[in-house]
Amino acid sequence: MPTTSTADERALVRRLLAEADVTGADDFGRFVNDSRYFGATGFDSRAATPVLVGVLPRLTDPLVVEIVALHLKNPAARPAAFGALHESFLTWGTVTRGRVGWQLGEALVHAAPLGEVSALLDIVADKRYGVNRQQVVLGLPRFRRAVETERALRTLVHDPDVAQQAMYALRRVIGPRLTVDALEAVRRAHPGTTLERQARHEIRKMSRTLRRRDAVVA
């Protein structure tokens, strides 16, 4: 894939934002977690959403794609950004260097409307995307009413790239008691592996929760 420079693509996005009169266009790509130490950004992510959605499929620099994905995690991006984020994830999701695929996955699951669960399940089932699926897996409990969600998570707890996230998500979908049963199966199926250790750890945590709950009921 041909690329332009990060500086050129940042400048392109900033120009488009300025042309759309988005407040703080020059702050595109500037993230401030604690304004006590750094000046607060004036970038209006909500107002920028239509511009970022439109430009995302045109971008070729992974760093700029990642910046756009970070900005598209804002609530205004749901569901408007889903199509562009999905297209971009299919393009960048197999990239193993950097965090572009991982950030796109997180933005994608945030933006996904409930009716698009099948697109997300197709992604989490595709091992080519490796660890870039992790945030998508973590977001699956929002789609718990789809019967396919539980079935997918029961499979993913056996996938080393996303097992930890799938164990957490499965608990949120079916509760700790049934999840313990599912993880006992993981423990037995993968002796002496990281998967077994992860399953044992989660089983211990959930078992403690269940004992406390049962003691309160008693």
Side-chain angles (χ1 to χ4, degrees), residues 113-134:
L114 296 178
E116 294 290 354
V117 62
S118 61
L120 299 181
L121 293 177
D122 285 345
I123 284 172
V124 299
D126 193 332
K127 293 188 176 184
R128 292 178 303 163
Y129 299 126
V131 298
N132 291 333
R133 297 171 290 160
Q134 289 178 347

Side-chain angles (χ1 to χ4, degrees), residues 192-207:
T193 66
T194 298
L195 275 176
E196 181 194 23
R197 291 192 293 274
Q198 288 174 333
R200 284 184 181 276
H201 178 68
E202 295 301 321
I203 289 168
R204 284 196 296 270
K205 288 198 305 184
M206 282 181 267
S207 295

Side-chain angles (χ1 to χ4, degrees), residues 150-211:
E150 178 185 340
R151 185 160 57 243
L153 289 170
R154 285 181 176 275
T155 298
L156 292 169
V157 294
H158 294 268
D159 184 331
D161 285 334
V162 296
Q164 192 76 55
Q165 293 74 25
M167 291 174 190
Y168 174 81
L170 185 61
R171 176 178 178 169
R172 291 181 59 200
V173 170
I174 65 175
R177 200 174 300 277
L178 291 176
T179 302
V180 166
D181 293 339
L183 298 191
E184 287 288 1
V186 174
R187 184 182 61 77
R188 292 191 299 269
H190 306 279
T193 66
T194 298
L195 275 176
E196 181 194 23
R197 291 192 293 274
Q198 288 174 333
R200 284 184 181 276
H201 178 68
E202 295 301 321
I203 289 168
R204 284 196 296 270
K205 288 198 305 184
M206 282 181 267
S207 295
R208 287 196 296 268
T209 298
L210 290 169
R211 286 195 297 270

